[in-house]
Amino acid sequence: MTNLEGRMAIVTGAARGTGAVIARRFVEQGATVLLGDILHEEAEDTAAKIGDGAHFFPHDVTQPADWDQVVARALELGDRIDVLVNNAALLHLGTIMNTPEDVLRRVLEVNTVGPYLGMRAVVPVMRKQGGGSIVNVGSVDSLIGMNGITSYCASKWGLRGLSKAAALELGRDAIRVNSVCPGGGNAEMYGPWMSQLANFMDETLAYTENRAIPGGVPLDKIADAVCFFASDASASCTGVDLPVDGGAHAGHFIPGFNTL
Ligand SMILES: NC(=O)c1ccc[n+]([C@@H]2O[C@H](COP(=O)([O-])OP(=O)(O)OC[C@H]3O[C@@H](n4cnc5c(N)ncnc54)[C@H](O)[C@@H]3O)[C@@H](O)[C@H]2O)c1
């Protein structure tokens, strides 16, 4: 159903976590993949472990020149760009009053401006070849609000808006733009925040347990959703936000109420 045979794809933030799992899955489905990241050694190692079909590319999503270079490399490798997955992102924990302006700007720069630059870089190629698929990795925080992650939440809602507008603008060029909205991911993203989160272990656990389907979200389930949008199986889908979140976006779950 999600055959990617012969496709050329770019996956950003693919050194580790979700991006690495997506890149591996793409190669398994027959695609050639450029794995970009600012973590050069880790990304190079990930590409080597995936093997034939996976190629590391040093890539900072906030730098237009890096986008020019990754597009040139993709054309050199595959003479086309079928899929762009805007997966790279930065997390910052802090309320609006505890988030300095420069931090907000940096988070928006990586999580929203980065995908905007990516879309601008690949669209001319996709238009010329007659189509393509862009998959933006948002979050459940693109769909509902959450306190204490103001800049991240704003950046992911911005990315969702960007995806909707782009879907409408590019549909007649056969370029589809969809969002996958996970309700969890790689724990390494929380690395810099672990000492603060340690004070809220019960609340953090409740966050993932009080869902229709309790627990975390396996990265391969996020990759399944990305593969669906990357492939022709979703040929009639554009402008979609697909939550992969155990139902976290669906509403409030109060454990005792299931016995009423
Ligand atoms: N971790 C979670 O709980 C969670 C929840 C919902 C959504 N997500 C989303 O899933 C996606 C993947 O995150 P993950 O969970 O695998 O976390 P992760 O931190 O492992 O992956 C993010 C990757 O982006 C890279 N990156 C950061 N800044 C970059 C830049 N300027 N240029 C290029 N690469 C850069 C990082 O080096 C890292 O490899 C992100 O879009 C994230 O927002 C994650």
Side-chain angles (χ1 to χ4, degrees):
M1 193 174 87
T2 58
N3 183 5
L4 297 176
E5 203 61 51
R7 304 287 164 95
M8 181 72 220
I10 297 169
V11 182
T12 70
R16 67 184 194 197
T18 312
V21 175
I22 293 167
R24 177 178 289 280
R25 181 66 63 83
F26 275 16
V27 170
E28 285 167 0
Q29 309 267 350
T32 300
V33 182
L34 271 171
L35 292 84
D37 209 295
I38 47 171
L39 300 175
H40 296 177
E41 275 179 35
E42 219 169 321
E44 198 164 8
D45 192 45
T46 300
K49 282 186 181 137
I50 294 173
D52 287 350
H55 303 264
F56 158 66
F57 198 83
H59 184 230
D60 181 335
V61 296
T62 66
Q63 299 303 313
D66 284 17
W67 279 108
D68 291 343
Q69 285 169 14
V70 79
V71 165
R73 181 72 182 124
L75 292 177
E76 205 175 88
L77 275 172
D79 207 25
R80 51 191 295 114
I81 301 172
D82 298 293
V83 183
L84 167 65
V85 182
N86 281 313
N87 166 78
L90 184 64
L91 175 69
H92 182 267
L93 298 191
T95 62
I96 190 165
M97 298 310 287
N98 289 331
T99 303
E101 184 185 328
D102 61 327
V103 171
L104 173 77
R105 288 185 189 280
R106 177 65 191 159
V107 173
L108 291 172
E109 190 77 17
V110 176
N111 299 1
T112 317
V113 178
Y116 153 84
L117 293 173
M119 289 194 264
R120 282 173 60 96
V122 302
V123 161
V125 177
M126 289 181 170
R127 273 190 170 141
K128 206 167 155 198
Q129 72 197 15
S133 172
I134 297 169
V135 188
N136 292 325
V137 181
S139 168
V140 66
D141 305 315
S142 318
L143 304 168
I144 54 176
M146 186 170 174
N147 58 327
I149 56 163
T150 309
S151 56
Y152 181 82
C153 199
S155 72
K156 291 295 187 179
W157 274 77
L159 177 57
R160 183 174 164 219
L162 201 59
S163 307
K164 298 276 189 208
L168 292 166
E169 289 167 8
L170 301 172
R172 279 164 170 73
D173 295 312
I175 301 170
R176 300 182 293 108
V177 186
N178 292 290
S179 300
V180 170
C181 302
N186 183 17
E188 284 177 287
M189 186 171 242
Y190 296 92
W193 308 102
M194 284 319 280
S195 58
Q196 277 145 288
L197 287 173
N199 300 321
F200 305 104
M201 285 324 284
D202 289 346
E203 289 91 334
T204 306
L205 191 65
Y207 172 69
T208 51
E209 287 308 304
N210 292 338
R211 298 178 171 180
I213 303 169
V217 176
L219 302 190
D220 65 314
K221 296 299 158 210
I222 304 168
D224 282 343
V226 173
C227 275
F228 171 68
F229 286 127
S231 77
D232 294 343
S234 60
S236 295
C237 302
T238 196
V240 173
D241 306 310
L242 178 59
V244 183
D245 67 347
H249 74 286
H252 301 292
F253 178 84
I254 302 175
F257 278 24
N258 263 11
T259 62
L260 292 176

